[in-house]
Amino acid sequence: MIVTLTANPSLDRTVELPAALARGEVQRAVAVHQHSGGKGVNVSRALVASGLDTVAVLPGGDSDPVLSGLREDKVPFAALPIADPLRSNVTLTEPDGVTTKINEPGPELSGEQQEALIELLLERSQGAGWVVLAGSLPPGVPADFYATVAARLRSADDAGAPLIAIDSSGAPLAAAISGREDGRPDLLKPNAEELAELAAAAGFTEQHTAEELEADPGLAARAAAAVVGSGVGTVLATLGSKGAVLVTADGAWLAKHPPIQAVSTVGAGDSSLAGYLLAATQGGTPQDCLRQAVAHGAAAASLPGSTVPAVHQTTPDAVTITALPKD
């Protein structure tokens, strides 16, 4: 069982444009796609598509469109009832794959609601193999929320605590490595921009941009190794069309997929994480997990909107794996 927590879920609308975005002009969409979203929700959707057991934990009213969408997609969920509607996000996609995202902040969660959400997660995580803490945090939630939740999960059952993955950005992501040691994840999944920020926070002496990390996988591996050295078990760094780098205490690897025709990159990173977890739950080696992560991400990018692929739509055999030095 894989449980996901999405503290700031959303109703994601993706609008496909027939040409490049023209600011200040009227443009007609060629297609519109709508899915229940938020990083953790997307991971659960991708796991369900591949037949894995999962539960998505999130806040939301019973009649909220996000929860209605989960019911339609047959995604098991456990929701903390709140009165305010969940946010809506809009993504504009251009024919060449360029995306423009407009994300709302989401409803504020009080201290009492935050504690109730944690308790709901602890309840649903009993016996789980993995717990994924993912996405942005809504107003009112402290930046160290995911680190606190990770520590609570471990203290609730020291003997059978689940493995913990965190996929966020900004201050919540930085808090995953800079705060309490028992709140550091077993798996961290940054993109290149987030990896640059994390490496600096972890004391990586070289300062580099996301573009430089994407262009140089060896550099990305060294940056990820600095994050692993801060107490994180594994770093899966997605590098867009350049593939992904996986770094553990024992090694570093680059995985690349042959070029695809990108339709929408929305949720591709979430699908990569789902692919990694899919292989991990099947006893895969680190290289196996990396291979499936990249195959899932490539498949997601080739689909419209935030559509998630099933495992049969992925091509892991096409992915090449190369060992990299960590220092």
Side-chain angles (χ1 to χ4, degrees):
M1 168 69 75
I2 298 173
V3 179
T4 66
L5 171 65
T6 308
N8 202 18
S10 58
L11 185 66
D12 290 347
R13 289 173 54 83
T14 302
V15 179
E16 292 185 33
L17 298 176
L21 176 65
R23 294 183 61 196
E25 300 294 332
V26 174
Q27 291 177 273
R28 297 186 183 279
V30 295
V32 177
H33 309 276
Q34 180 170 293
H35 293 99
S36 299
K39 284 184 173 296
V41 167
N42 289 340
V43 171
S44 283
R45 288 174 52 230
L47 293 172
V48 166
S50 294
L52 268 71
D53 290 334
T54 183
V55 173
V57 177
L58 70 165
D62 186 63
S63 61
D64 194 279
V66 173
L67 300 192
S68 298
L70 291 176
R71 292 188 189 96
E72 291 175 7
D73 291 340
K74 295 180 171 53
V75 176
F77 67 87
L80 173 72
I82 62 172
D84 294 327
L86 297 173
R87 62 183 179 146
S88 294
N89 295 338
V90 177
T91 299
L92 305 177
T93 63
E94 301 174 39
D96 61 357
V98 172
T99 62
T100 302
K101 300 188 70 175
I102 303 172
N103 292 351
E104 295 181 4
E108 182 172 350
L109 294 184
S110 67
E112 291 78 8
Q113 289 172 321
Q114 294 170 40
E115 177 60 27
L117 187 62
I118 294 174
E119 290 293 338
L120 179 60
L121 177 69
L122 294 175
E123 175 189 335
R124 292 306 181 111
S125 298
Q126 294 181 17
W130 281 88
V131 172
V132 178
L133 312 176
S136 63
L137 296 175
V141 178
D144 64 351
F145 181 74
Y146 287 142
T148 299
V149 172
R152 291 276 296 274
L153 284 163
R154 290 181 174 126
S155 64
D157 188 352
D158 293 333
L163 295 171
I164 298 168
I166 294 181
D167 182 7
S168 189
S169 59
L173 186 62
I177 68 167
S178 61
R180 50 197 297 176
E181 290 187 7
D182 58 355
R184 294 175 189 176
D186 300 286
L187 173 66
L188 204 58
K189 198 222 73 63
N191 59 26
E193 182 177 353
E194 293 155 356
L195 178 60
E197 297 173 0
L198 281 171
F204 189 50
T205 55
E206 304 175 45
Q207 301 295 308
H208 294 281
T209 65
E211 291 75 15
E212 290 171 330
L213 293 178
E214 287 187 352
D216 186 345
L219 178 61
R222 295 197 300 275
V227 179
V228 170
S230 72
V232 174
T234 298
V235 172
L236 170 64
T238 51
L239 306 176
S241 63
K242 305 297 183 181
V245 165
L246 184 72
V247 177
T248 71
D250 300 320
W253 302 269
L254 166 70
K256 299 188 70 173
H257 191 282
I260 62 164
Q261 179 62 49
V263 176
S264 172
T265 58
V266 179
D270 307 329
S271 288
S272 293
L273 178 53
Y276 180 98
L277 296 174
L278 171 64
T281 57
Q282 295 174 343
T285 65
Q287 296 95 320
D288 294 332
C289 297
L290 176 59
R291 186 186 306 277
Q292 192 60 54
V294 169
H296 252 77
S302 68
L303 297 172
S306 55
T307 305
V308 294
V311 66
H312 68 81
Q313 296 174 290
T314 70
T315 52
D317 290 343
V319 177
T320 58
I321 304 286
T322 305
L324 296 172
K326 296 190 297 178
D327 46 35

